[in-house]
Amino acid sequence: MLRMMLNGKIHRAVVTEADLNYVGSITIDQDILDAVGMLPNEKVHIVNNNNGARFETYIISGKRGSGVICVNGAAARLVQKGDIVIILSYVYVMNELATSHKPTVAIMNEDNSIREIIHYEPEATVIR
């Protein structure tokens, strides 16, 4: 049996752009992708902390060091520049490995630099 588990999380990234006319996806700074183990074309869930919107799309690599978090295409209607988002990726894990699987979580600063990398989901903890 396989279980779908959280694999990578970008926690509290700031949307830098929303481009309705682009052909779908989310553009993410490649340095951030490397830090959390996400890949271009990977499916991700995005949660908008400002309005509660939740949606899925795929990743496009953005310029290294740019801090870009740009929601493209129709999903751009679900965010505004400056919104706080959480970006989640998942992986299928064999059942016997599920309890030992550790996600990689990037806690972001307001400028989309990484403040901290952790490998657990803090219980009942508010991270700002």
Side-chain angles (χ1 to χ4, degrees):
M1 178 170 63
L2 296 172
R3 292 185 184 254
M4 186 183 293
M5 307 292 288
L6 177 67
N7 195 52
K9 178 178 180 182
I10 303 169
H11 184 78
R12 296 186 60 84
V14 177
V15 174
T16 59
E17 302 172 57
D19 188 348
L20 184 61
N21 295 311
Y22 195 87
V23 183
S25 69
I26 184 169
T27 304
I28 303 172
D29 178 324
Q30 184 62 52
D31 287 341
I32 299 170
L33 294 177
D34 291 347
V36 294
M38 293 182 190
L39 298 172
N41 300 309
E42 184 173 356
K43 179 180 177 179
V44 288
H45 289 131
I46 295 118
V47 179
N48 186 330
N49 283 14
N50 292 75
N51 64 20
R54 299 177 73 94
F55 56 96
E56 298 176 342
T57 191
Y58 63 92
I59 297 168
I60 291 179
S61 175
K63 182 180 176 185
R64 288 186 181 279
S66 66
V68 66
I69 302 289
C70 179
V71 179
N72 302 303
R77 293 198 183 276
L78 301 174
V79 301
Q80 293 182 14
K81 182 177 178 178
D83 282 357
I84 303 297
V85 295
I86 299 170
I87 303 164
L88 307 156
S89 71
Y90 301 90
V91 64
Y92 288 103
V93 177
M94 294 296 297
N95 194 52
E96 55 272 13
L97 301 175
T99 58
S100 63
H101 175 74
K102 304 288 185 209
T104 301
V105 179
I107 309 300
M108 306 303 288
N109 289 312
E110 292 178 1
D111 64 355
N112 285 341
S113 62
I114 297 171
R115 176 177 8 143
E116 179 181 9
I117 296 284
I118 59 176
H119 295 282
Y120 60 94
E121 191 70 22
E123 181 181 337
T125 301
V126 177
I127 300 176
R128 294 185 198 262

